[in-house]
Amino acid sequence: MKQSSFTREELLSCARGEMFGPGNSQLPAPNMLMMDRVLEITETGGAYNKGYIHAELDINPDLWFFDCHFIGDPVMPGCLGLDAMWQLTGFFLACLGGPGRGRALGVGEVKFTGQILPTAKKVTYHIDMKRVLKRSLYMGIADGRVEVDGKTIYTAKDLKVGLFTDTSTF
């Protein structure tokens, strides 16, 4: 791993396809980019010593999803927190040099025990890589958790992401 943290500008560069080269992993562009910075990404460490990612999203009441989910009862959709964990797992694989485009492949278990409201300040993501396969398919399996203002509100087990050099038959 060449770099251990990434700014918002660097993440936007990844979204534009500039970071890993043509045909390789990209993060989604705003509005679907679910993090503002990666504070730490390591090839070792984490709960399983297979790698760790720590990232953050700043919350403000002007974020797009608060206007539509739900009118009069604004809350960040839980699926966006889950997507953020998939995004970070794929980003980890790309940072390892894995070729291809990232695709979420599934999740073993997800639990929601809280919510992200427009009054929150910060969402924090923690991803513990469990397994990294570097064969004809690069694939990562990870556990993750989402915190809002320091309180754990989502957990996911066995997040699966693969990198595909050909997505035409996916």
Side-chain angles (χ1 to χ4, degrees), residues 35-37 56-60 63 121-123:
M35 74 247 7
D36 289 316
R37 67 199 141 271
E56 294 178 336
L57 172 69
D58 296 325
I59 296 296
N60 71 66
L63 288 169
K121 299 297 177 211
K122 187 180 301 174
V123 174

Side-chain angles (χ1 to χ4, degrees), residues 9-167:
E9 282 308 312
E10 289 169 319
L11 298 177
L12 292 172
S13 170
C14 181
R16 293 188 299 268
E18 299 165 355
M19 188 171 284
F20 301 114
N24 288 315
S25 290
Q26 292 176 243
L27 285 167
N31 287 326
M32 283 303 297
L33 180 63
M34 289 288 107
M35 74 247 7
D36 289 316
R37 67 199 141 271
V38 173
L39 298 173
E40 181 182 7
I41 185 168
T42 62
E43 197 168 345
T44 58
Y48 308 99
N49 202 34
K50 302 284 185 184
Y52 173 73
I53 310 154
H54 175 198
E56 294 178 336
L57 172 69
D58 296 325
I59 296 296
N60 71 66
D62 297 327
L63 288 169
W64 66 273
F65 43 79
F66 289 131
D67 287 337
C68 58
H69 190 267
F70 299 95
I71 296 173
D73 182 23
V75 61
M76 179 176 162
C79 60
L80 294 180
L82 177 59
D83 197 69
M85 291 187 277
W86 277 321
Q87 290 176 25
L88 288 164
T89 302
F91 186 70
F92 179 90
L93 296 173
C95 286
L96 288 179
R101 299 170 190 262
R103 296 294 186 266
L105 298 175
V107 62
E109 176 182 290
V110 179
K111 290 185 181 178
F112 298 104
T113 57
Q115 60 186 347
I116 301 167
L117 301 174
T119 53
K121 299 297 177 211
K122 187 180 301 174
V123 174
T124 306
Y125 306 104
H126 299 276
I127 307 295
D128 294 301
M129 299 302 299
K130 292 174 85 169
R131 192 162 180 210
V132 178
L133 303 171
K134 298 179 184 178
R135 300 185 185 133
S136 58
L137 169 69
Y138 255 67
M139 186 170 84
I141 302 171
D143 289 347
R145 77 179 188 277
V146 176
E147 299 173 351
V148 62
D149 297 335
K151 177 186 174 195
T152 299
I153 58 164
Y154 312 157
T155 57
K157 292 184 180 177
D158 297 326
L159 296 151
K160 293 181 184 110
V161 174
L163 300 183
F164 297 85
T165 53
D166 179 7
T167 59

